[in-house]
Amino acid sequence: SAVISQKPSRDICQRGTSLTIQCQVDSQVTMMFWYRQQPGQSLTLIATANQGSEATYESGFVIDKFPISRPNLTFSTLTVSNMSPEDSSIYLCSVVLRDAYEQYFGPGTRLTVT
Amino acid sequence: GENVEQHPSTLSVQEGDSAVIKCTYSDSASNYFPWYKQELGKRPQLIIDIRSNVGEKKDQRIAVTLNKTAKHFSLHITETQPEDSAVYFCGGGSNYKLTFGKGTLLTVNP
């Protein structure tokens, strides 16, 4: 497996502001993803973070609200823009290591919007 | 897109009993089915997975079975222990993209 870190681990933000979450992996990976987990709910895929190009978003998620960057193989950011209380969730990155199939999750960022 | 249904939503067993969680999927193109265990306040942890070219896979007390024709797969935990208590998620998909079931809260009573 690999060591996956996320920053910040948690934050409390005012509505209308934006927060950028970072995901760093200590190994080279082929795929990086961003998920949302609302309180007591399942995991919902937001987008695939593509290295050096625009992310691929799932239905219901748009770039203006969740801009994503992935400048290299081991680092990605997710920004939650113009936040509302409905954005309060845990945001997790996940990775697929090179030459593997399994997907591993980061520790998550717990976001509360007031 | 893929749709994954998971049952039951809650499951309570006595220590030492077996637990079975079932999932169905809709997309016949899906070829990868992982299971994750999530303890309270922690990240989902991959516990076992199966690819569509295999019907069953076992790892100590945990096994997964896959029926491609019926589009369903199941997690089997034998000799359950209190530390098995957690939420379990099944996933299904292809090309690394996963859709998850809603989860099963497993409680193992001592």
Side-chain angles (χ1 to χ4, degrees):
Chain A
S1 60
V3 176
I4 308 168
S5 59
Q6 282 187 234
K7 290 181 184 179
S9 58
R10 59 178 61 226
D11 208 340
I12 301 173
C13 301
Q14 299 285 329
R15 71 169 66 210
T17 63
S18 298
L19 176 72
T20 296
I21 303 167
Q22 299 179 2
C23 177
Q24 177 77 55
V25 192
D26 70 346
S27 306
Q28 290 203 343
V29 302
T30 52
M31 308 290 288
M32 293 184 81
F33 302 95
W34 286 98
Y35 284 84
R36 181 173 74 183
Q37 186 173 32
Q38 295 178 303
Q41 303 296 313
S42 185
L43 301 150
T44 301
L45 180 62
I46 298 171
T48 304
N50 299 310
Q51 185 199 353
S53 64
E54 190 172 292
T56 304
Y57 291 84
E58 298 302 305
S59 175
F61 298 96
V62 295
I63 187 171
D64 289 346
K65 176 67 177 176
F66 297 102
I68 288 169
S69 77
R70 187 180 171 193
N72 57 52
L73 285 173
T74 62
F75 183 79
S76 178
T77 66
L78 166 74
T79 299
V80 187
S81 304
N82 188 25
M83 288 183 285
S84 67
E86 293 71 38
D87 294 321
S88 296
S89 283
I90 297 172
Y91 292 85
L92 303 109
C93 65
S94 72
V95 304
V96 177
L97 300 179
R98 193 168 62 177
D99 300 327
Y101 215 90
E102 298 82 6
Q103 194 168 141
Y104 297 97
F105 284 89
T109 295
R110 183 180 294 272
L111 171 63
T112 302
V113 183
T114 61
Chain B
E2 176 64 281
N3 181 47
V4 176
E5 305 249 348
Q6 183 171 347
H7 299 280
S9 57
T10 62
L11 179 59
S12 182
V13 300
Q14 290 299 122
E15 183 176 358
D17 288 350
S18 295
V20 180
I21 303 170
K22 298 181 179 180
C23 290
T24 60
Y25 62 98
S26 62
D27 189 349
S28 57
S30 289
N31 57 14
Y32 179 62
F33 306 93
W35 287 88
Y36 288 83
K37 174 184 180 182
Q38 188 174 33
E39 296 175 83
L40 191 62
K42 297 192 175 180
R43 76 184 82 185
Q45 178 187 7
L46 179 68
I47 56 171
I48 197 167
D49 58 5
I50 192 167
R51 296 208 215 172
S52 60
N53 58 349
V54 175
E56 183 173 357
K57 184 175 177 181
K58 190 173 181 180
D59 183 3
Q60 299 183 339
R61 296 187 296 110
I62 295 173
V64 57
T65 58
L66 172 65
N67 183 326
K68 281 170 37 180
T69 304
K71 295 202 193 101
H72 67 71
F73 56 110
S74 300
L75 176 71
H76 304 253
I77 306 174
T78 59
E79 300 172 23
T80 53
Q81 302 166 2
E83 49 266 39
D84 294 329
S85 296
V87 177
Y88 291 80
F89 292 101
C90 63
S94 60
N95 297 321
Y96 306 106
K97 273 184 53 175
L98 295 175
T99 300
F100 287 91
K102 291 187 184 299
T104 296
L105 174 61
L106 173 63
T107 303
V108 180
N109 302 300

